Amino acid sequence: MDFKNFSGVFGVYERTSPLVTGSSGLADKNFSVPNGLDLSYQTASGTKGFTAVAVLSLVAHGKIALDDSVKTLLLKTADADAVADAATQKYGSLEWLSESVTVRSLLNHTSGVPDYFDEDFIDDFEGALRGEANYKYDTPERFFPLAEAMWKKQETPYKSAGTFKYSNGGFVLLAAVVEAVSGMAFPAFMSERVFSPFGMHKSGCFRLDEQTPSGIVRATSYQKNGRSNIYSVPVIGGGDGGAYTNPLDMAHFWNNLDPELNAGNPFAPLIEEAWKPSLEGEGNFYGLGFWLRKKNPRIVYLEGFDPGVQFFSYYNRDTKRSLTICLNDESKNCSEVFENYFSMVE
């Protein structure tokens, strides 16, 4: 594609059939590897939609309920004292976590839970890590001390409870719930219960310091200073962000999730609720883990921003068309793609 200021890939699909696809720029500057549609790209906070699906799958199978207390789920996953003691050893006492925080309130950002990356107190991710190496943040509970530290800084803890306040910390807690209830590590659960069943064969939570599974090649993400982002994001994607995907996988995601295309699936009513414009936040509507355009709530979307990463994926429930954009160079932008192709999903 003849783009002057875009680095990454994009695709417009009707269901899973490509209408327009393209790529520009380099996936690896050291070896001059071009970006391509077969590669996998970081999604930053776009991952929250995948996490929501993981949690809702547990609800659909009767393992948890939307109004369950998250603290109870984490500390009392069974009646046996030994299990409760093990949970306390893993997660700590969770003094900072209110009993009133429910699964639903985390999914729709109304819990008031302290966010480990609270922009009222810090403005960069490395600052949020308080000097710790990013490779230490490889499981949900590793983030809990950061959330607790934010809780102690708040003048009135849980002041925002009941209203929309975007919280990365809330989705870290949801990943912990997935692990506690399923007995599986979050990346494994996502691979087995979300990505694979949805036909997302290039998607997953992959450690930055390990080789990816066979058939998956990751694009490198570059910051404005020209460096990769390998020291600027957690070493592996978690509940709040960092999973990898690409435009075709996202077309499969939307197609397999749409409750109107999968009406017989017991999962469908939960997705219908997740895609309901229940709250207003940051100029648009929000459901359970998904954004909805205020101009047209029938357009559901995910977006994410990290150092070196911009990710957008829009799905029009009426036309069954999606547009996914994966940018991997922070010195570039997505404006040319939006100007040329967003009208195809509006």
Side-chain angles (χ1 to χ4, degrees), residues 227-246:
R227 297 175 180 172
S228 75
N229 71 348
I230 60 170
Y231 298 115
S232 302
V233 295
V235 70
I236 187 169
D240 60 324
Y244 285 78
T245 194
N246 65 21

Side-chain angles (χ1 to χ4, degrees), residues 249-322:
D249 275 16
M250 288 305 301
H252 281 282
F253 177 74
W254 295 118
N255 186 72
N256 285 299
L257 205 57
D258 187 336
E260 294 163 4
L261 297 176
N262 304 277
N265 192 324
F267 199 36
L270 288 167
I271 299 305
E272 196 66 63
E273 184 170 357
W275 289 3
K276 188 183 299 181
S278 304
L279 297 160
E280 186 170 348
E282 301 180 11
N284 281 297
F285 293 130
Y286 204 81
L288 298 176
F290 292 87
W291 291 98
L292 303 101
R293 293 203 79 205
K294 194 169 186 179
K295 292 173 101 175
N296 179 6
R298 293 282 291 176
I299 296 179
V300 189
Y301 70 97
L302 298 171
E303 65 179 17
F305 306 89
D306 265 343
V309 180
Q310 289 183 29
F311 172 81
F312 304 92
S313 191
Y314 295 85
Y315 179 70
N316 188 316
R317 299 183 63 182
D318 294 323
T319 64
K320 310 305 181 189
R321 287 184 176 184
S322 64

